[in-house]
Structures are given as structure tokens and as C-alpha cells.
Amino acid sequence: MHDVLVVGAGQAGLGAAWWLTRKGVRDVVVVDAGEVGDSWLRRWDSLQLFTPRRFSQLPGGRFPAGPTPTPSRTEMAGHLRDHAARLGVPVRTATPVTRLTRHPDGSCAQTPDGPVHARQVVLAVGPFTRPQVPAAAQQLDPAVHQLHSSRYRRPADVPPGPVLVVGAGNSAAQLAVELAATHQVTVVAPREPRFLSERRLGVSVYWWLLLSGLLNAGSDSRVARGVRRRGDAIGGRDLARLRDDGAIGWLTGRVVGAEGAALRLDDGRTVGVSAVLWCTGSLPEAGWVDVPGALDDAGLSLHDRGASPVPGLHWMGLPWQTRVNSSIIDGVDRDARRTARRVRDGVPARQK
């Protein structure tokens, strides 16, 4: 029986473990389905974070200097591995939790290596684990090459010729720009994008967002509600420039169906395609959490700022968990500190 089990060795899980040890909780174990940093290494080769190094660091450690203002995916993976090595608590990799259940003294996590029992459990597996693809993808002709952004690595993964990039987020923007050097690219997005310049007056925009108070605005604040209503902004203006120059085509509309080698948009237009890159995001996958009261009817986490209604169960790393910046790496620190305090208060005094 452990005091605390942390499920997930990404930034949220490692951040929570770091603060748990600083709050005096000694018996902490971390498990992860893969290796530390794998979630970053599985992303496309050219990925650069939008957040500067200062805003990409984990609790208790500075992000190392590097050749670029923002870190690469490999640098981020290395930062996670270094952090895990410094934690001073066991981090069991290649240990997926296949089922989480309750028992009288806490919870039981089933793993290939046997059950792990803990009085308190922090679920930090990430909110975006199951690729989301519209139903129209199943209606397209099999000859159409289809790829979700989670499986894209480099332009060679897409056959030569025209490609339709479907999506309105930062992944769609980055990949459309990269593919435009080798392919004829058209973006289909449900709305006109908002572009956020990476620097203003020679300073990273993140510093301005921090100084303005927006980054640390509470998730239920008026500011946060406005941000959510408008949707995520696209970092950088590369896509805007290529679109304005005619190097990338643009269609505003939602994909609602398909027939043969054509997608149908919500305004009735059809778009012929030979290759589609779906940048349509991912969904949580929490079906393994077999704990009454932990999930809603849609299988999503029930929580109040990360606190589950189930005693001894906690969530970490959720978008908008407590503040606007809960969704970026820098936001892990405050959320992890809050979670660690709550977990510590639930561990019997003799166990601390």
C-alpha cells in the first residue's frame, strides 16, 4: 500500500510528484505506459514549442539554454527525463494502468506487473490521448490517402500532389506551413483564425500575457470565458503570410460528410481530395477508470479544479483546470502545488 500513486510521467505527473515530495509526502510512486518523454518524441520531427524556454520549464528546474528561443520536441523530452531522474521517487515506465478500481483503503491500479495499491491517486495521463477524426473520414474513397496529425512525422508521409489540411488549431497551422514547401496545400477550417504574433516590441508575447494577468486569470473569470469563447489563437503569422500570398489555399467551413473522393462542407460545397491530413485534435481516453462517480456520462473527468468528487482521487494536467495557463507547461507549477496540498491533507499524519 503506497501513500500516493501518480498515473502519468508527463509534465503534469512529474510536476505533481515533485511538489508531493516537497510537501513531505514520502511514499510516492509514478507509473507511465511508455517511456518518459515519449509523448513528445512521437510528434512530428520539426515541432517547436510556441512557449519560450522560461515558460516551458517544470517545477523545480530551469529549462536549459539552447540555439532557439523556444525548445524543440527532443529538448522537451530531455527536460522531462532529467526531471524524472532528479525526483527521488520511483518512476516505473512501460507500466500501463489497464483498470483503476476502488477498495476500502483507497484505489487499486491493475498493471501488467500486478496490482498497485494506493491511498491517494493522481490521474495525470493527459487530456488528448485518442485521435479524433470526423465520421466523414469513413465515407471517403479508400484511394484517398488519410492521416491524422498524431501519426504525421514529416512531409514524405503525404503523397506528392495536393493535400487538404483540416483543422483550425496550431497543429494545423504548423503542418500546413511545413507541407506548403513540398505540396499544394489547402486548409479547411470552421472559422477565421486569430493570429498571435510571437513577439511584440522585441519581447515574447508570453511576457506581455503574464504581465497583463491574462495567463494566471482564473478559469471561471470573465477574461477566461472570453478567451474560451473566441477559441485558441494561432501562434505566429507564417500561415497568414502564406495565405495572403496565395501559397496556401483557404476554405472556411465544417466537414459534414463525404462521397467518393470529395468532402462536403456545411454550406453545401464539395471539395475533391486525393490526400487529407486531419488536424482535428484528440479526445480523453479514461475508460480504464472504473470508479463510480469519477467520470460523467460522456466518459470525461468530473472535478472541481482537479479535485474529484471521489475521495482520494485527483486530476492533473487538464485544460482550464484552475487558470488560463493550465494548458501550457508553465501552468503545471501552480496546479501541481495545489494538488499536492490537497493530496497531503488526505494522507494520514503517520504516513507523511
Side-chain angles (χ1 to χ4, degrees), residues 40-197:
W40 289 96
L41 295 179
R42 286 196 298 267
R43 305 191 74 181
W44 63 90
D45 294 351
S46 65
L47 174 65
Q48 290 282 138
L49 277 70
F50 287 112
T51 49
R53 293 170 188 273
R54 156 61 181 82
F55 293 89
S56 302
Q57 62 195 24
L58 291 166
R62 294 177 64 86
F63 206 104
T68 55
T70 62
S72 68
R73 65 184 182 95
T74 54
E75 288 181 291
M76 191 65 224
H79 186 48
L80 287 168
R81 289 193 295 266
D82 291 345
H83 195 273
R86 293 194 305 267
L87 270 180
V89 303
V91 179
R92 303 179 189 173
T93 57
T95 307
V97 174
T98 56
R99 188 172 180 235
L100 183 73
T101 57
R102 295 287 285 175
H103 63 75
D105 296 322
S107 298
C108 176
Q110 297 293 339
T111 78
D113 297 329
V116 180
H117 295 86
R119 295 178 177 85
Q120 305 269 326
V121 176
V122 177
L123 299 174
V125 292
F128 309 118
T129 53
R130 179 164 50 93
Q132 181 182 20
V133 177
Q138 301 299 320
Q139 303 164 2
L140 278 172
D141 190 295
V144 175
H145 182 87
Q146 299 188 60
L147 189 66
H148 189 270
S149 57
S150 62
R151 299 181 63 84
Y152 173 92
R153 297 293 177 271
R154 57 194 65 91
D157 293 339
V158 179
V163 55
L164 206 66
V165 176
V166 180
N170 280 286
S171 294
Q174 276 200 28
L175 298 185
V177 169
E178 177 171 271
L179 284 167
T182 54
H183 293 70
Q184 179 186 338
V185 176
T186 300
V187 175
V188 175
R191 62 180 181 275
E192 278 294 307
R194 289 189 303 114
F195 295 102
L196 188 65
S197 297

Side-chain angles (χ1 to χ4, degrees), residues 22-44:
R22 271 63 189 173
K23 296 295 181 183
V25 183
R26 293 189 295 271
D27 185 14
V28 180
V29 63
V30 181
V31 300
D32 195 280
E35 299 296 324
V36 177
D38 270 4
S39 61
W40 289 96
L41 295 179
R42 286 196 298 267
R43 305 191 74 181
W44 63 90

